[in-house]
Amino acid sequence: MKNVVELSWLKELLASHPAPQTGNVDHPAQPLQLPKLAAASTEQQRPQVSGLRLSQQLTRDLLAATHEQGVTVNDVLLATFGKTIQAYNQGNPILAIACPTDMRQAIKHNHDLRIANHTARYNPVVTSASGEPIGTAVQKMHTEMTQLKQRDQFLDSVRSLMAQYQTLGIHELQQIVEANYHVREIGYTNFGVIDDQRLVFDQLPVTQCLLTGSFRTAPMFQVACSTFKGELSLGFNMIGTDDEVQFGRVVTTAMVAQIIAFVAQSTTDAVVL
């Protein structure tokens, strides 16, 4: 097998999409964050993996609700996660949650093997008052993501680096990345649907799968969403104490409550119609 590493497709995409007139959306003016827990003990922070799964029935109900409302599961997850974190950010009506995307999707006739990090990100920003119904917030997120996708906004996150890599050496590029790339306090990623027929280990079937993102030191937090065998999972990696990891579980549980509220609202709307 041959690993293809050329970037001509990305250069062509950038050439056909003029640079935006807006500021640096990679760094929102009002970022969301979680509170730092009071030091209840001298316990040392350590890497831990956790998460929870929605039942197959709730996952099916969620999918049905998205079809009913004309939105995507990703729209719902972005909005419900944003509203969950917003509860800890009194007075901040801005839901700014970066949404990673695989740039390989933009390659025409993409049949090549490409082992590389081709991740960019959409940067949706939605205004949603704390008491706004979750269904309204989801519709706003859907509108925002639709507009960002229509203009391939993910290119904005790689535009300047692509321009510089053609003239600078690797050392200079590393310095630029270290100076400008900042991991947000609150992160989100969606791995989508994992094919249980293809995910095997030495012909052994996998019964459960929890995908997680990078390790974040509390109070930083990243939720990683994925669906396997009809169950939606919300996972996270955290460097924290047991109390901090338990707080992470509280956050994911609250996110599930927001998902349930969206499903219930969609059901109510359908009955009214």
Side-chain angles (χ1 to χ4, degrees):
M1 295 184 292
K2 178 183 178 182
N3 182 32
V4 179
V5 296
E6 57 85 19
L7 293 174
S8 59
W9 61 274
L10 185 52
K11 296 177 184 177
E12 293 173 2
L13 265 179
L14 288 168
S16 62
H17 290 68
Q21 300 302 313
T22 57
N24 190 348
V25 293
D26 269 339
H27 305 287
Q30 294 179 265
L32 295 171
Q33 57 187 1
L34 287 175
K36 183 175 178 59
L37 298 185
S41 67
T42 58
E43 182 183 358
Q44 186 176 3
Q45 291 181 315
R46 58 190 176 87
Q48 302 186 59
V49 179
S50 188
L52 53 82
R53 296 182 179 88
L54 277 66
S55 67
Q56 290 186 352
Q57 182 60 56
L58 180 53
T59 303
R60 286 195 296 267
D61 291 343
L62 170 60
L63 191 58
T66 61
H67 292 163
E68 182 70 32
Q69 296 294 322
V71 299
T72 68
V73 171
N74 191 62
D75 296 331
V76 176
L77 295 175
L78 276 169
T80 54
F81 181 55
K83 296 296 286 183
T84 299
I85 303 299
Q86 184 188 51
Y88 300 95
N89 294 252
Q90 298 300 324
N92 184 358
I94 306 300
L95 306 185
I97 303 290
C99 179
T101 186
D102 184 357
M103 291 191 295
R104 293 177 183 83
Q105 300 173 77
I107 305 176
K108 295 180 179 179
H109 312 298
N110 181 27
H111 303 296
D112 296 321
L113 174 67
R114 296 173 185 268
I115 302 174
N117 185 349
H118 285 300
T119 304
R121 61 186 182 185
Y122 291 106
N123 289 284
V125 177
V126 169
T127 300
S128 175
S130 59
E132 183 175 72
I134 186 59
T136 304
V138 169
Q139 287 294 341
K140 288 182 178 179
M141 187 63 73
H142 174 69
T143 299
E144 174 77 351
M145 285 298 295
T146 298
Q147 294 174 348
L148 296 182
K149 290 175 182 177
Q150 287 175 344
R151 61 184 181 89
D152 289 336
Q153 184 268 324
F154 69 87
L155 292 171
D156 298 344
S157 63
V158 298
R159 187 181 303 277
S160 61
L161 190 61
M162 280 294 293
Q164 292 164 324
Y165 105 94
Q166 300 179 71
T167 58
L168 300 177
I170 186 65
H171 180 66
E172 290 82 3
L173 290 173
Q174 288 174 334
Q175 290 180 324
I176 291 172
V177 171
E178 290 175 3
N180 294 278
Y181 181 78
H182 305 289
V183 176
R184 292 190 188 184
E185 290 285 317
I186 299 300
Y188 165 90
T189 192
N190 185 358
F191 294 109
V193 179
I194 311 303
D195 188 346
D196 62 278
Q197 297 301 309
R198 298 175 61 191
L199 182 62
V200 295
F201 289 90
D202 195 21
Q203 307 306 312
L204 297 175
V206 178
T207 58
Q208 291 183 331
C209 176
L210 177 68
L211 293 184
T212 53
S214 59
F215 275 94
R216 309 290 178 99
T217 300
M220 296 179 71
F221 185 82
Q222 181 191 49
V223 67
C225 309
S226 61
T227 300
F228 184 74
K229 288 195 170 183
E231 294 181 339
L232 175 64
S233 294
L234 309 177
F236 64 90
N237 288 339
M238 180 185 289
I239 301 175
T241 65
D242 289 342
D243 286 343
E244 287 169 331
V245 172
Q246 179 58 35
F247 182 47
R249 296 192 187 101
V250 170
V251 171
T252 51
T253 300
M255 183 176 169
V256 172
Q258 291 278 5
I259 293 173
I260 292 173
F262 169 76
V263 171
Q265 181 178 325
S266 297
T267 302
T268 301
D269 292 345
V271 171
V272 171
L273 292 175

